[in-house]
Structure formats: structure tokens, C-alpha cells
Amino acid sequence: MSTPRSFAAVITEHARTRPDAPAVRLDDTVLTWRAFDDATARVAALLRAEGLAVGDRVALVLPNVPHFPVLYHGVLRAGGVVVPMNPLLRGREVAHHLADSGARLAFAWHAVADAAHAGAAGTGTRVVVVEPSATAELLAGVRPDPHPHEPDPQDVAVLLYTSGTTGTPKGAALTHRNLISNAVTNHETLAQVRPGETILGALPLFHAFGQTCAMNTAVIAGAQLTLLPRFTPEAALAVVERDRVNLFSGVPTMYVALLNHPGAERCDVSSLRRCVSGGASLPVEVLRGFEERFGAVVLEGYGLSETSPVASFNHPGAERRPGSIGTPVRGCEMDLRSADGSPVPEGEVGEIVVRGENVMKGYWRNEAATAAAIVDGWFRTGDLATRDADGCYRIVDRAKDMIDRGGYNVYPREVEEVLYEHPAVAEAAVVGFPDPLVGEEVGAAVVLRAGASATPEELQAHVRANLAPYKYPRRVWIVSELPKGPTGKILKRAITPPAPVEQGAEQGPPARPGTA
């Protein structure tokens, strides 16, 4: 298909040609394409009545509920810029996102409204609480706007906040061209779902992976998006069976949980044709075990928020390389570069660089960070890989300190800054360590101030009170000093967590599959 100019045009066309087909579902709540188109048009009318100008930012602090795609595409239809936010964020984190983006409005799910209000205080952002019955009544009183905004392809559509290497969240500015072309490419070359088929929306929609590979791919394909607000293997299998899901996208921890679920044999998952894995490396034995048990092909790939996100994949019809991230997707180029920017020979390790229609416009209002990240048109990912003779890439390490906890990015500096706010902490170093359940777990080595006292549990509680639940260190250990290099820089590579004293003593509550 040719690349459409806007998502609104695609939704309106589906509403015209297949008005009664399901577009979005959550349990017994189903929006047809006609209802979905109507709802987004009412959101656009509401926003314009509020004085929203083209380019104004609107934050969404919502879980995976039908209101997310309705508001997301309603904002785009009105010409606004969507700022998706993790509903688990605390007030201080919300405040940064709102202040940095300059969001005029924030739609916040009623269950997390307190954190949204706390974060909005002093930012000038007005919070609109989203409660199903009240929101439906509000939209019912608005006449649908029949004239969707026609964006320029290079206009910013979404700001996705990512901390990168600095620990300070930056807004990756993704354009309409970035998002639409990546969704079209994902649909045509990877997902290959047909109109009326079903995609499971178990990944968080505030994340680029869930937005492109589930929500926006469903829009492009005319497929049904069936939502799962909180992943558990029981719930996911039940939805696959009930809604005859054809495509599932997930992170490795989800595949581990599904593979190990004892009740899987009793579920009819025969409709499941293809699965997509990203966000972290999928163990080969998990990939093979999943395919054998569920009879669905798993395609592993790679991407980042800054690349909309899909950059490479093991493509359908091509020889798959377990443990590999495959080859670049259509419209995208990848290469390996050394620290000085020169090309790296085949078989040697280099930093992945990406350019193409999927690469962000830049970091929002941050020219220095943009110039450091995009050099001569190539986006520097910070990930190290090798490339074989067939052009397949294989990640070997991360140049960044980022911890990938079950598909959720945890940036050590952000956690360290909170630890340093504790009056008993003199020094802190946050590192990742292997965990069989979530891939990487968060740990913190802490040096206390002379004469001060604090327990690991107290420090964990301090971080939990200030950051999202998935970010706090499950292991905290007190040390007399941290290893340092000749310049005084802390040598994180020399830090390893001691063996746990006993279950729960220093680890904190155990993680659950597919949760944060």
C-alpha cells in the first residue's frame, strides 16, 4: 500500500468501508471502526474547543484501555502532539515530562490521577481525569469534528521520553512520517495481518513497541486490537483463545511466562500464527520451546524509541538466525562504526548506527543531545554488535549503562540521584545483574556517610517512594567503598552483588512475569 498521509485518513476509510467491524476491544467493550472514528473526531472537537493549536502537546497517562487509542488518535486528528507517559510514574517524574514537553493538557486515568495532579502542579498543565462513564458523557456532548488536520509528514506527532546515556529523560520527537511509515513497514513486511484479524495489545501502549507493532499496525491493517491492561500468562492465553488472536508482540519475559504456564495445554491457541519479540534478547531455548509448544513462528528484532521503533528483524520467509536481530527493515539502513565513526569490518564489534525514514527528528528542544546522537545523518544507538556475511546483526553488549528489566528501561543515573537524596548516603552505584525471570535486575551498592545508618530496606523504600515501581533496586548492599579508577570515576564493571543473605532480606519483593 502507498504510505497514507495521516492515521486519521486511514481510520476514516475503515469507518467508511467496514463500519461495523471491530477496531478496539477490551473484554466486553468493543468499538467498531465507525465508533472509533466518531470518538476520535469528538476528541478532536473537544480539544479545538479548548483552544488547542496545531503543534500543542497533550500528555496521556493511561494504561491499555480503549481510551488510549481514542485519545491518541484524537489528539493527532486535531493537529496536536501526543506525549505518552507510563502510568506508573510518580509525581516528580510526571513533572519533568510535563514541564519539558510544555504540555497544555494531560489526560490521566482516574486510578493514577493523584500522581498526575502532583506532577502538574507548577507546570501550567491542566489535568483531565479520565473515568469511563464521565468521559463518555463528556464526549457525547461534543459534535464530531468532520475535518481532520492534514499534517506535513515532517511535523512532530509524538514525543517519547527516553533517558539515553545521560539519565535525564529526553523527548524523542517522532514525526508523522516516522510513525506511519514504520507502522506500514511493520504491517506489510513483518506482521502481515489481514483486515478483520486480531492483534493482542499486551505491550504498554505508552511505549514505542506497543504503539507501532500493536496499536498503529492494527490501524494500518484494519485489524482488531484487543487490549490487555496487565499481562499475566493466564489472562493473555484466555484472550488469545476468546478473541482468536493472530499476532502477538511481546518482550522475552512474556514468552518465558507463557512457555512455563502449566495451564497452556488447556487453551486453544490455534489461531496464533505469528509472534514478535523485542526489547531484550530472547534466549534461543525459549524461542524454540515456545514455537514447539504453541505452533507459532517467533520473529526476533531490534529497535529503539528513537527509531519509531522497528529497525531490524528476522524477516518472514528468510532464514532465521536464533539470537540474531536479523537485517534492517525496509526504509532503514544500519551499519557498524568504531568510536571514531569509521566503518567496522565484517565480524568485528562496532556500535550500531541507523538512518532512514524511521529515525526521529531529534530530541525535543535539545540541540546538543540531538547533535551528539545523530552524526552525519546516522543515529548512534549506543548498542554494540557484529554483522555476518549475510548482513545479519547480533547484539554483543550495551555501550550504555541502561538496565533492561523485563522490557522496561531503567537508567542507573536516575536511580542514583534519588539514592543520593537520602541523608545517609555518601556514594551509590546502580548496576544490572542477571536474573532468570526478568533478564536483568536492578542492584545498588551504597556507601553510607560517616556516623550515619540506614538499612537496605530503608533505601529501597526511599527509591520506591520517588520512582516507578519497576525502577527500585531489588538488591541493595552496603559497602565501605566503591572501586574507582585513577581519575576517581566509579568502575561499575568491577561491582557485583553479593549472594543474597536470605529470600526477601535484601532483594525486596520478587518480580512477577511480565510485570513491572
Side-chain angles (χ1 to χ4, degrees), residues 161-367:
Y161 274 82
T162 175
S163 293
T165 58
T166 67
T168 303
K170 303 184 293 292
L174 301 179
T175 67
H176 288 270
R177 179 173 184 255
N178 290 154
L179 292 169
I180 294 172
S181 65
N182 207 231
V184 170
T185 294
N186 185 69
H187 163 51
E188 293 185 343
T189 67
L190 301 172
Q192 298 178 344
V193 293
R194 295 179 285 271
E197 291 192 324
T198 300
I199 297 174
L200 178 57
L203 289 163
L205 296 183
F206 65 79
H207 193 278
F209 194 1
Q211 275 176 56
T212 291
C213 296
M215 182 178 71
N216 289 339
T217 291
V219 168
I220 294 297
Q224 174 182 235
L225 175 70
T226 186
L227 296 170
L228 189 62
R230 179 180 178 275
F231 177 86
T232 66
E234 297 92 341
L237 290 168
V239 172
V240 170
E241 180 174 19
R242 183 195 69 196
D243 296 344
R244 310 303 298 156
V245 169
N246 307 107
L247 175 72
F248 168 68
S249 297
V251 295
T253 50
M254 293 179 176
Y255 288 95
V256 171
L258 290 167
L259 179 61
N260 295 326
H261 183 59
E265 301 293 346
R266 298 190 296 272
C267 296
D268 179 6
V269 296
S270 58
S271 62
L272 197 60
R273 187 175 69 251
R274 180 165 295 159
C275 299
V276 174
S277 179
S281 179
L282 181 66
V284 174
E285 61 272 22
V286 174
L287 182 151
R288 290 173 176 163
F290 186 93
E291 290 187 339
E292 181 179 347
R293 185 168 190 179
F294 294 97
V297 173
V298 180
L299 301 176
E300 189 174 6
Y302 169 77
L304 309 96
S305 297
E306 291 91 340
T307 60
S308 304
V310 185
S312 70
F313 253 92
N314 284 271
H315 287 65
E319 179 186 357
R320 286 183 298 146
R321 308 289 177 86
S324 163
I325 60 172
T327 56
V329 298
R330 185 181 67 194
C332 172
E333 295 178 78
M334 288 172 54
D335 201 359
L336 297 178
R337 298 293 171 87
S338 63
D340 64 5
S342 59
V344 171
E346 178 185 307
E348 294 189 14
V349 175
E351 180 185 6
I352 297 176
V353 294
V354 181
R355 71 178 177 186
E357 60 189 19
N358 59 331
V359 174
M360 66 172 181
K361 194 169 189 176
Y363 290 115
W364 180 252
R365 294 177 174 173
N366 195 331
E367 293 182 2

Side-chain angles (χ1 to χ4, degrees), residues 72-198:
Y72 179 101
H73 286 290
V75 172
L76 295 183
R77 187 175 182 129
V81 176
V82 181
V83 185
M85 293 167 55
N86 187 339
L88 295 176
L89 296 180
R90 306 299 195 199
R92 63 186 283 159
E93 299 162 307
V94 172
H96 174 80
H97 287 60
L98 297 180
D100 188 75
S101 67
R104 286 193 56 183
L105 291 172
F107 288 95
W109 191 239
H110 59 92
V112 296
D114 288 348
H117 280 295
T123 66
T125 305
R126 187 167 78 83
V127 175
V128 178
V129 177
V130 178
E131 192 280 325
S133 59
T135 303
E137 183 178 339
L138 175 65
L139 293 180
V142 179
R143 291 175 60 87
D145 190 322
H147 303 294
H149 172 69
E150 287 289 335
D152 183 280
Q154 294 304 319
D155 287 345
V156 177
V158 171
L159 297 182
L160 289 178
Y161 274 82
T162 175
S163 293
T165 58
T166 67
T168 303
K170 303 184 293 292
L174 301 179
T175 67
H176 288 270
R177 179 173 184 255
N178 290 154
L179 292 169
I180 294 172
S181 65
N182 207 231
V184 170
T185 294
N186 185 69
H187 163 51
E188 293 185 343
T189 67
L190 301 172
Q192 298 178 344
V193 293
R194 295 179 285 271
E197 291 192 324
T198 300

Side-chain angles (χ1 to χ4, degrees), residues 400-420:
K400 305 172 183 177
D401 286 336
M402 184 193 79
I403 300 167
D404 189 333
R405 185 180 185 274
Y408 283 83
N409 295 346
V410 180
Y411 300 94
R413 180 175 171 180
E414 184 181 23
V415 182
E416 289 163 359
E417 287 175 351
V418 174
L419 282 168
Y420 273 101

